[in-house]
């Protein structure tokens, strides 16, 4: 199953990024979400209760972030397991770009299902997945519209470069070493 789409978020890219990584915001906006916890800066755990084709199940899952380019893009790997329902796994590429005084959030999701969930068929799963995505973005956009806009944080200061190459004496030292080597070879060879 593959889904690719984009949404306009009424907020700046850095605010959108921060909200997408905030467990409280995710728990509020994900339909059927029971719990979201951030385990590390790149790992989240969650529990979601969902109903697909009349079959309701709790899924415990993990989301791992990679290729993080804050606040522009990241890749997500996710896995959800339901005791009776089966398994859902996949990846998503997420990209944030400024657009019309807000943020264009584009995403591509590739996912697979196993167990009883897979028996429902791709069309049923796609329809249920589309409803979940629509509800999430509806709640997320509404949440972001209520937030006051803030300026982007300043970039972190560049570390002071160290080493001989940045010293005003570096050329003098290099010249002295070359002179000693040339003088040694000229006098003793």
């Amino acid at each position: 199953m593959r889904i690719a789409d984009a949404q306009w978020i009424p907020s700046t890219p850095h605010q959108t990024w921060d909200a997408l990584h905030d467990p409280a915001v995710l728990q509020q906006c994900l339909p059927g979400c029971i719990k979201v916890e951030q385990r590390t800066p790149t790992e989240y755990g969650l529990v979601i209760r969902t109903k697909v084709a009349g079959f309701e199940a709790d899924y415990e899952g993990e989301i791992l972030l990679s290729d993080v380019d804050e606040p522009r893009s990241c890749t997500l790997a996710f896995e959800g397991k339901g005791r009776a329902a089966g398994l859902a796994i996949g990846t998503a590429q997420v990209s944030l770009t400024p657009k019309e005084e807000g943020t264009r959030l584009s995403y591509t999701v590739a996912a697979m299902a196993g167990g009883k969930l897979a028996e429902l068929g791709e069309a049923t799963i796609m329809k249920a997945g589309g409803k979940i995505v629509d509800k999430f973005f509806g709640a997320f956009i509404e949440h972001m519209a209520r937030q006051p806009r803030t300026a982007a944080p300043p970039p972190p200061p560049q570390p002071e470069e160290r080493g001989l190459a940045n010293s005003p004496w570096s050329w003098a030292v290099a010249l002295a070493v070359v002179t000693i080597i040339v003088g040694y070879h000229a006098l003793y060879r």
Side-chain angles (χ1 to χ4, degrees), residues 136-151:
F136 168 76
F137 278 115
F140 186 73
I141 289 167
E142 185 178 308
H143 171 80
M144 295 309 292
R146 292 190 308 262
Q147 305 306 307
R149 295 203 176 217
T150 61

Side-chain angles (χ1 to χ4, degrees), residues 19-157:
L20 287 170
H21 292 82
D22 183 340
V25 173
L26 294 174
Q27 186 165 344
Q28 173 189 333
C29 296
L30 278 168
C33 187
I34 297 168
K35 176 176 93 170
V36 176
E37 66 178 342
Q38 184 173 8
R39 296 176 179 159
T40 70
T42 59
E43 180 183 3
Y44 292 80
L46 59 118
V47 178
I48 294 177
R49 179 171 292 140
T50 188
K51 193 176 205 177
V52 178
F55 187 68
E56 185 174 82
D58 287 356
Y59 286 89
E60 291 185 23
E62 278 189 335
I63 299 172
L64 301 173
L65 282 69
S66 63
D67 304 324
V68 176
D69 182 15
E70 185 178 340
R72 290 176 278 287
S73 64
C74 67
T75 300
L76 309 170
F78 58 88
E79 176 182 83
K81 296 176 187 173
R83 287 183 218 195
L87 169 74
I89 59 171
T91 61
Q93 282 79 37
V94 178
S95 175
L96 304 175
T97 52
K99 182 180 181 184
E100 300 171 4
E101 310 239 349
T103 301
R104 181 179 191 267
L105 187 156
S106 57
Y107 58 93
T108 302
V109 178
M112 294 176 17
K116 290 186 180 186
L117 186 61
E119 292 172 10
L120 297 172
E122 187 171 329
T124 303
I125 295 170
M126 287 284 289
K127 184 177 177 182
K131 285 181 182 178
I132 291 169
V133 168
D134 290 345
K135 286 180 181 179
F136 168 76
F137 278 115
F140 186 73
I141 289 167
E142 185 178 308
H143 171 80
M144 295 309 292
R146 292 190 308 262
Q147 305 306 307
R149 295 203 176 217
T150 61

